[in-house]
Amino acid sequence: MRRKKPLPLSEIPAISVQNISKTFRPRSKNPVQALKNVTFAVPKGEVVGLIGPNGAGKSTLLRILLGFLDADEGRVALFEHHPESMMARKLIGYQGDSQFRTPTLKVETFLDLHAHLLNLNGSAKANIDTLLKEFNLSNASNFSLSSLSKGMRQKLELVLAFLGAPQIVFLDEPTASLDPPSVFELLDFLEQRKKTGVTVFFSSHNLSEVENVCDRVLFISDGAVLADYDMKKRKRGFLERAFRTHLIEKVAS
């Protein structure tokens, strides 16, 4: 039997989530259902925002998408690969919140090590230099990790997330510690990367930033995705009004 020719990457959903659920402490007296039958898909090259109140399930969902945590039910795929597979790992970048406790390791050495793990070889220096310049960290290349300010640590995490030209980048509150000029730089940078076909999944509490950069926005509350908004042609302030409406409906119920 002739095998089917695999679909090109551009025709495969970058992120596919089908009916995933997750409960913490399921056998205890007070189990916590963090996710409830969550389903959505993200095409290649789309920037998707994830918003919702504290405790809504955003962090749990991100951890499952990244393969850091297993769902109890359902299926997750990144370009049709399981998040824990080596194929998926080669395709993704992630910005989190590292503390960088080592007292001596320098920024440049830290990035060189990661470039080596990504097997960038001859392209490593150019890639690192370009990203440091994009995030205004060129002058910090010889700083020790432990000496960086919180905002600089955040920018270094963003450099790390985009190192090696990943196809999918997961951002968890990427602007939380950034000053306004750095936020503008990041949003411009994301717009540029979107044009190259990079998929971005962007969790944030800052509704105006999400509104400015995202093609779609998922609203999650009590572990369920209650809305999937197409942001094209939406008027400024739409997300704030939608967020308020969901909170009012929750209180009323």
Side-chain angles (χ1 to χ4, degrees), residues 34-253:
L35 296 175
K36 307 171 187 176
N37 299 317
V38 172
T39 296
F40 62 89
V42 179
K44 184 180 186 299
E46 199 166 65
V47 178
V48 174
L50 179 68
I51 63 172
N54 290 333
K58 297 188 297 297
S59 295
T60 300
L61 178 56
L62 271 175
R63 289 169 65 195
I64 290 174
L65 292 177
L66 287 160
F68 298 164
L69 184 67
D70 289 329
D72 297 333
E73 300 174 3
R75 179 179 181 271
V76 176
L78 306 178
F79 285 116
E80 296 192 335
H81 301 292
H82 190 280
E84 291 184 23
S85 70
M86 287 304 297
M87 287 300 297
R89 298 289 188 208
K90 291 177 181 178
L91 293 170
I92 66 175
Y94 169 59
Q95 165 267 321
D97 184 19
S98 296
Q99 297 302 310
F100 300 142
R101 297 184 188 280
T102 175
T104 57
L105 194 64
K106 293 182 178 180
V107 167
E108 187 175 38
T109 306
F110 174 74
L111 292 174
D112 283 342
L113 288 170
H114 281 276
H116 179 71
L117 292 172
L118 290 168
N119 199 30
L120 297 186
N121 299 321
S123 64
K125 180 172 173 42
N127 192 190
I128 290 170
D129 288 348
T130 297
L131 288 169
L132 288 175
K133 185 177 180 181
E134 289 278 5
F135 290 98
N136 277 321
L137 284 177
S138 297
N139 293 335
S141 61
N142 287 316
F143 288 12
S144 66
L145 297 180
S146 59
S147 71
L148 299 178
S149 68
K150 193 171 182 180
M152 293 172 77
R153 289 203 309 268
Q154 183 110 5
K155 291 202 281 187
L156 182 57
E157 281 285 352
L158 289 164
V159 169
L160 190 61
F162 286 94
L163 189 64
Q167 293 295 307
I168 309 173
V169 177
F170 294 94
L171 304 179
D172 188 6
E173 298 290 342
T175 65
S177 301
L178 301 184
D179 58 17
S182 298
V183 171
F184 301 148
E185 290 166 4
L186 173 60
L187 297 182
D188 289 342
F189 179 80
L190 293 180
E191 284 289 346
Q192 294 168 16
R193 288 303 165 112
K194 183 170 71 173
K195 292 175 182 177
T196 68
V198 176
T199 306
V200 179
F201 195 82
F202 183 166
S203 171
S204 179
H205 285 295
N206 193 314
L207 301 183
S208 62
E209 290 166 9
V210 173
E211 197 167 59
N212 285 337
V213 75
C214 292
D215 302 304
R216 282 168 55 211
V217 174
L218 305 176
F219 181 88
I220 187 171
S221 183
D222 292 330
V225 174
L226 302 183
D228 184 344
Y229 297 117
D230 182 346
M231 297 306 295
K232 298 181 183 68
K233 299 181 181 179
R234 297 287 190 181
K235 293 183 178 179
R236 186 174 296 277
F238 167 79
L239 283 183
E240 181 178 345
R241 293 190 295 272
F243 202 112
R244 288 176 181 273
T245 299
H246 284 298
L247 293 181
I248 291 170
E249 290 175 348
K250 180 179 179 179
V251 171
S253 63

Side-chain angles (χ1 to χ4, degrees), residues 5-17:
K5 187 176 181 181
L7 289 171
L9 208 61
S10 60
E11 296 181 21
I12 301 171
I15 305 171
S16 177
V17 176

